[in-house]
Every structure is written in C-alpha cells, then in structure tokens.
Amino acid sequence: MLARLFITFAYFLNSSSSYENAKRFVYDVLENPRSRIKPYFDALIIILVFSTVGMLIYDIGHHIPYHFEVVENVAISVFIFEWLGRFWISSDLRKMVILYHKKMLDYNRNPSVLAILKMIIQKKVQYIISPMSIIDLLAILPMFRPLRILRVFLIFRLLKMFRYTKSFNAFFSILHDKNFEFKFLFLMGLFAVLVSSTIIYVFEGVGNNPNINSYLDAVYWAMTTISTVGYGDITPVTLSGKIVTVFLISGGFLILVLATSIVTNALSEKIEIVRENKFLAKAQKLSDLIVVIGFGRMGQVLAEELKRTQKEFIVVDHDKEKIQEAKNLGYLYMQADASNYDTIDTIIFNNDVEKVVISTENDALNLSILLTIKAERNAIEVIVRSNSYENIKKFKIAKADHVIFPYETVAEVGVEYIGNCVKFDTIDNILLRKEGMTLDEIDILEGSHFVGKSISDLGMQDLDIIPIAVLKEGDLHNFIFNPSKEDYRLGVKDILIVMGDETHINKIRTEITRQLA
C-alpha cells in the first residue's frame, strides 16, 4: 500500500506542470549556464560571501551594528535555501520511481517500499556527501554565534567561490594533467634545497655565521633563496657560501621558468577540452538525455526539432567544422570519435541517456557504434541511419531498435505527397503542434480501474480526445487501428495512441495514476 502511494505520487508529480515549472525555475537559477537569471544570482552570492566574511572578521574585535546582523541573517537564509534547492534538483526521484515501477511491471513483481526508500536515500546521501555540498553546509555553520569556535568555518564561505568561478576548477584540472612534470620540478627543487642547505651548514654552521645556529636555519635560508624571495635576514659570510648562493638563485630562476612554461603549454593544449568538459558536466546533470551522433544534414534537422520541443540532447561529431556549427547554434556538443569506447562510455554509459540517434554517413561506423552500445546497455533505445538498403538487415541483427533509410523514405513520402499534399500538410501541423493538437500515448497501468473496461469509459469524448490506435500490451507488432470505443476492452500494459489537446491528455493520465492508490 505504501509503495503504491509513492508510485502514485511520483506519477502525479510527473503530470503536474506546476511542479515541473517550479523545478525548472530552481534549475535555471542555480545550474543552467544559459539562463538569464543565473548570472544575477551568482553575483548576489559573491556579494553576500565577501560582505559576510568581512563582517565576521570585523566582529572578532568589535561589536557590529544591528543592521549588519540583518545582512548576516539574510545571507544565511539565502545560503540555506540555495543548499535546499540544490538538494532538490540534484536528482529526479519521480522519474526514478516511475522507471522502477515500470521495471516491476515488466517482471510481473510487486513494488517494494524498502527498495524505493533505499533508492531515494542513496541518491540524496550521494549529494549530501559531495565536496561542494559539504562546503555549502560548512559555510552556514558560522551562524551559530554562541559556538564561537565554529567561526573558523567562515573560510568555507570563500571556498563557495569555486562553484561560481568555473575557471578555477578548469585551471586546477589542467595542473593535475601535468602531475608528472610538477613532481619532477618538486623533486628537483627539494634536492637543490637539501644539498645547498647541507653545504651552507657545513661551511657557515655554528660559530661561523651568527644567523645560522641549526640545520633548520640553513633549510630556511635555502627555501627563501631558491624561491627568489630573499628576506636578507640570513646571508652567507664565507666565499663557499656565496658561491652556493649564486648557483641556488640560478636554480630557482630555472625552476620558475620551467613551471611557467608547463602551465602555459597546458593551457594552450587543454583549453578546448576544458570547454567540452563544461558541457559534459552539464550533460551529467540531465535526465532522459538524447545523444545525436553525427551532425550532418539529418543530425542538424533532428537537433533543430529537439531544441524546438525542448528536449535535452548533446551532439557528438569528430569533424571540427560541424562541431563549430553546433557550438554557434548553442547546442551541447563534444568533438570526439564516437567509434572510440571511451567516448561512448563518457557520453552514454556515464549519463542518464534515454535514446541514441546514430546518423553518420558511414554504415560501418554506425554499425560499430551500435554494437558497442548494445553489448553493454541493451536497454538504451538506439535509432540508426542506414545509407545502403543492403545494410538494413545487418542493423536489425545488431539489435537496432529502429532503422532509418532516408533515401527510400524521402522517395516514398515524395510520391505520396504529390497526390495527397493536403493530407500531408494536416499531419505535419498535428505532429509539429502548429494547430494546438498533438499525438500522444496513454499507458494503461496495472491496478487501474479502467483495466477490462471499454475505451469510452475513459471519458475522452468529453475532453475532445480521439483514439487513433491501440498497441496491445505495448507490442509494436500487435497494432490495432481505430479500435471500437464500446467493444474493445482495455488490458494491462495497453498503450492508447490518441490525438487531442496535451493538457486534456494529461488529465487522463493523472486519473489513471490516482486510481493506483
């Protein structure tokens, strides 16, 4: 009973436009890099961070005025709501519950409330223990003024800046890629410090130089010298010490030049990768992502339609010019070889991908990508383009969910259009929702009161919804066109293909899910 309550609530949220709009608004404010609201919110957070840190530091030796405390309380409230908002949008639990429910229906098993709770808790705990979430929480701790020791955590408010200055993260990523080079420089510098400090201690140790009374003093002198800081509080007095100093200063300059060269080369090499990583980071936060592999003419038309219908998608192509075009159009993109397993693993296997469309003009490449995806994730729906009629059977053997042969399709549509242009224009208007109508699906779920009843019992006639066809038990090969509204009895897992207003269709869906409680 409790499990069905969770499932019913998930379906209700999924059909609620108010919930979807609220979550979309929070996402636009906190995460969406293309949102017009986000830059203003980022600026507000930066102002609050610097102002509250300044006030907390000032409060250590002074008594801050009352209006300063108001600013502090407002900032804490914003930080709390920010964390709660990120906690909310960190995962889409309603879709997870719906997918779990459909999986249980496929296995003919009853849903478990423990499994649902475990799934929810795992996802949310995963966000809570993430580094940026911990930083956000620590930034809130200084609000507990009676516990003054917690004020040390005010430094974590400054660390919040890393979330709003992505260039810092990109820079640290570049440095990490040059890990070997920096380790070599560190070891070289450490060797120079140890050798020079030992030599200077031997020649100017206790009794020779009044400023060097221990080996630690010699190490301190070597560190300030090799870093070219040169405080001047310890200076060599012997000829041997001065010679060592000259070589150590030269070594310090050499290390600085090499470090600068390494960083500069890394920036020039990785700047495009950093841009792509930013898009990948965004793709990882999306659910039901569609991957378009190949940005030729077919891929461009598909991407344009996906954008118009507000679907989340990413374009993948190895051609620099095509990727530049996708970039100019504002699409998520990645320039990579899709035949490479690492590319498929990064973009498809590591993200919440709903569909993959393979639309390159090379059938061998399309088949290779298809086999790689299906070998590891057979559940992902793959739509593949065939450029040769002879290869259609190969794609079907490789378990492609749908095969598109564009040349034959265009020819058949062209022939039909010549004699039926009015019919085609009407269908085009409906499919593209130019006239306020749409074609959609209604699932008859297990446990619904409508199971075993006629189509007319759904009340679609009152909502001006027209039933077009039925997929019996969801089977594409068991297609019933124009079923009788009075005689056909609805079964579990039936899918109704209907035409009507999208809002009215959602009302039917909501009514079905409410019956599951």
Side-chain angles (χ1 to χ4, degrees):
M1 180 63 183
L2 191 57
R4 290 196 173 276
L5 184 62
F6 274 108
I7 294 170
T8 303
F9 187 62
Y11 276 104
F12 170 75
L13 292 180
N14 196 50
S15 63
S16 172
S17 58
S18 299
Y19 177 85
E20 184 66 32
N21 293 336
K23 195 163 189 177
R24 171 60 62 176
F25 175 77
V26 175
Y27 171 76
D28 287 340
V29 171
L30 298 178
E31 293 291 348
N32 189 357
R34 291 180 288 182
S35 170
R36 289 181 292 180
I37 306 174
K38 188 177 186 299
Y40 297 103
F41 181 79
D42 291 352
L44 172 64
I45 292 293
I46 292 172
I47 292 172
L48 290 176
V49 166
F50 280 115
S51 60
T52 53
V53 167
M55 287 187 294
L56 284 169
I57 293 174
Y58 178 82
D59 185 36
I60 292 174
H62 306 80
H63 177 70
I64 62 174
Y66 173 74
H67 59 276
F68 277 20
E69 293 186 2
V70 172
V71 174
E72 167 72 10
N73 292 333
V74 169
I76 290 295
S77 300
V78 173
F79 293 158
I80 291 174
F81 281 112
E82 178 204 9
W83 186 86
L84 291 175
R86 295 187 186 279
F87 178 81
W88 181 28
I89 66 174
S90 61
S91 56
D92 200 337
L93 297 179
R94 53 179 177 152
K95 292 186 177 180
M96 291 172 55
V97 173
I98 291 173
L99 288 174
Y100 168 77
H101 180 229
K102 290 182 177 179
K103 184 178 179 180
M104 291 298 101
L105 290 178
D106 292 337
Y107 292 148
N108 197 23
R109 293 167 57 185
N110 293 324
S112 167
V113 66
L114 292 178
I116 294 175
L117 289 175
K118 181 181 178 182
M119 180 171 54
I120 293 173
I121 292 172
Q122 282 181 340
K123 276 293 181 182
K124 291 308 180 183
V125 169
Q126 183 179 355
Y127 170 75
I128 292 173
I129 63 176
S130 65
M132 291 309 299
S133 171
I134 293 174
I135 288 175
D136 288 341
L137 290 172
L138 292 177
I140 299 171
L141 286 179
M143 70 178 290
F144 299 102
R145 295 185 178 276
L147 304 177
R148 297 189 64 84
I149 192 167
L150 293 180
R151 293 193 176 195
V152 71
F153 290 111
L154 66 88
I155 189 64
F156 286 98
R157 289 192 184 173
L158 294 176
L159 294 180
K160 284 173 68 68
M161 304 303 297
F162 287 110
R163 186 194 295 278
Y164 301 97
T165 50
K166 301 297 184 183
S167 55
F168 280 135
N169 296 326
F171 181 72
F172 291 140
S173 175
I174 290 172
L175 296 184
H176 183 268
D177 290 340
K178 295 295 180 179
N179 190 32
F180 173 78
E181 290 84 345
F182 283 114
K183 282 183 178 179
F184 173 75
L185 285 179
F186 173 77
L187 292 175
M188 189 170 67
L190 181 62
F191 176 77
V193 167
L194 292 177
V195 171
S196 58
S197 60
T198 301
I199 294 174
I200 203 74
Y201 187 66
V202 169
F203 287 103
E204 300 199 7
V206 180
N208 294 323
N209 190 325
N211 294 321
I212 300 179
N213 298 311
S214 65
Y215 186 73
L216 183 60
D217 291 334
V219 172
Y220 167 75
W221 164 84
M223 290 293 295
T224 56
T225 302
I226 197 172
S227 63
T228 70
V229 173
Y231 290 120
D233 50 347
I234 300 178
T235 56
V237 295
T238 65
L239 178 61
S240 300
K242 292 178 180 179
I243 293 174
V244 172
T245 302
V246 170
F247 281 104
L248 192 58
I249 292 173
S250 301
F253 275 118
L254 177 62
I255 291 174
L256 289 176
V257 169
L258 288 175
T260 304
S261 175
I262 291 171
V263 173
T264 303
N265 290 335
L267 284 171
S268 61
E269 292 172 2
K270 302 293 184 180
I271 193 67
E272 186 60 35
I273 296 177
V274 169
R275 291 197 187 101
E276 290 180 357
N277 287 341
K278 182 177 73 171
F279 288 125
L280 286 176
K282 181 185 176 183
Q284 290 175 352
K285 299 173 184 176
L286 301 176
S287 57
D288 299 330
L289 184 67
I290 298 175
V291 179
V292 180
I293 300 176
F295 199 60
R297 181 56 187 162
M298 177 178 168
Q300 292 173 12
V301 173
L302 175 62
E304 183 180 351
E305 180 63 18
L306 290 174
K307 183 178 181 180
R308 189 190 66 80
T309 55
Q310 298 181 343
K311 299 287 187 180
E312 301 290 356
F313 67 95
I314 184 170
V315 173
V316 182
D317 202 301
H318 70 281
D319 190 297
K320 187 175 181 180
E321 293 183 359
K322 292 179 179 178
I323 286 297
Q324 182 62 41
E325 187 173 353
K327 178 182 177 181
N328 295 337
L329 293 170
Y331 301 154
L332 285 178
Y333 67 88
M334 182 175 181
Q335 183 181 349
D337 182 5
S339 63
N340 189 304
Y341 177 83
D342 290 338
T343 300
I344 296 176
D345 181 58
T346 301
I347 301 174
I348 299 176
F349 297 157
N350 290 335
N351 295 322
D352 183 10
V353 173
E354 177 188 13
K355 292 182 178 68
V356 177
V357 182
I358 308 173
S359 62
T360 77
E361 298 177 358
N362 186 325
D363 279 355
L365 176 60
N366 292 349
L367 183 60
S368 173
I369 298 170
L370 172 64
L371 289 171
T372 304
I373 295 172
K374 286 298 184 178
E376 191 160 333
R377 299 287 175 86
N378 188 50
I380 295 178
E381 183 177 352
V382 180
I383 303 167
V384 62
R385 167 184 176 173
S386 177
N387 298 284
S388 171
Y389 182 81
E390 290 76 13
N391 292 328
I392 294 178
K393 187 175 181 180
K394 295 180 182 178
F395 288 120
K396 291 182 177 179
I397 293 174
K399 299 182 180 180
D401 296 279
H402 304 283
V403 181
I404 300 174
F405 185 43
Y407 307 113
E408 182 181 56
T409 303
V410 170
E412 291 177 353
V413 171
V415 170
E416 291 294 326
Y417 187 81
I418 291 173
N420 302 279
C421 57
V422 175
K423 176 181 69 177
F424 271 80
D425 286 340
T426 302
I427 294 174
D428 181 65
N429 285 334
I430 293 172
L431 290 176
L432 298 180
R433 305 182 187 183
K434 295 178 181 177
E435 301 298 334
M437 302 288 286
T438 184
L439 283 172
D440 211 335
E441 304 172 2
I442 296 178
D443 295 329
I444 306 301
L445 304 174
E446 183 180 4
S448 170
H449 297 168
F450 291 122
V451 174
K453 295 188 176 181
S454 66
I455 297 176
S456 60
D457 291 330
L458 289 174
M460 292 191 295
Q461 185 173 357
D462 297 334
L463 298 174
D464 295 325
I465 298 175
I466 303 172
I468 304 296
V470 175
L471 271 68
K472 191 168 181 61
E473 296 184 352
D475 186 1
L476 291 172
H477 301 291
N478 200 347
F479 187 88
I480 303 174
F481 179 74
N482 192 23
S484 171
K485 299 178 184 178
E486 302 295 337
D487 297 335
Y488 182 82
R489 299 296 168 178
L490 298 169
V492 176
K493 299 183 181 180
D494 280 359
I495 298 178
L496 274 172
I497 310 299
V498 299
M499 183 174 68
D501 184 85
E502 184 177 10
T503 303
H504 293 166
I505 294 173
N506 282 333
K507 286 183 179 179
I508 299 291
R509 286 202 190 97
T510 303
E511 179 62 27
I512 291 175
T513 55
R514 283 176 179 170
Q515 294 173 2
L516 299 179

